Amino acid sequence: MPSSYTASLRFEKQFTGENVNVWGDKLNTLFDRADAAIAGLTTIALTGNYALAISNGGGDEARSAMLKFTGGAGPFVVTLPAISKSYKVWNAASGAITLTTGAGPTVQLDPSDVVEVFCDGAGLRTLGFGGLSLKDHIASVVVGGGATLP
């Protein structure tokens, strides 16, 4: 029976007795991929709409814990895989970015935004209160003298 792969991070699961005398190399590769999934940063220069690359058992952009997007004015749409995972995302591009799985709720990022994004396997969410994103919640708060937060 061949190896199989984990559902969210696409790690290779060895079948019993498989890869005799090479399992150490395969395990070290898995450790490198786990390291990227926990603390890795991938920078992607956007020139148009973009879908993160995924690969069972191979290197892929969507496995990284942190994503930094650079590029022009956009706006851009970035498609994340519809799998259970969280990301820290930095919009270092000069235009707005919409994160989507292709279905369900999306997350909007203005230039310079840094957010935590959660995917439940269908849509995306970010931290928030009362049905608003954290950014929109803060923007709705009135400060003394009638001014609103920037």
Side-chain angles (χ1 to χ4, degrees), residues 11-98:
F11 293 151
E12 184 177 5
K13 297 191 313 186
Q14 303 289 306
F15 183 71
T16 303
E18 187 177 38
N19 299 311
V20 174
N21 297 326
V22 296
W23 68 268
D25 292 336
K26 289 189 169 271
L27 184 60
N28 288 340
T29 298
L30 177 88
F31 287 147
D32 289 341
R33 293 189 177 131
D35 185 65
I38 295 167
L41 171 67
T42 295
T43 300
I44 299 167
L46 297 174
T47 58
N49 294 341
Y50 194 84
L52 292 184
I54 61 171
S55 173
N56 278 340
D60 71 46
E61 299 164 324
R63 189 178 291 121
S64 290
M66 299 172 281
L67 302 170
K68 177 183 178 183
F69 295 104
T70 63
F76 301 109
V77 175
V78 175
T79 304
L80 306 177
I83 55 171
S84 169
K85 179 149 178 15
S86 65
Y87 299 92
K88 291 174 179 66
V89 182
W90 175 9
N91 180 4
S94 57
I97 295 175
T98 300

Side-chain angles (χ1 to χ4, degrees), residues 123-134:
L124 302 169
R125 303 263 185 218
T126 189
L127 298 174
F129 298 96
L132 297 174
S133 70
L134 182 59

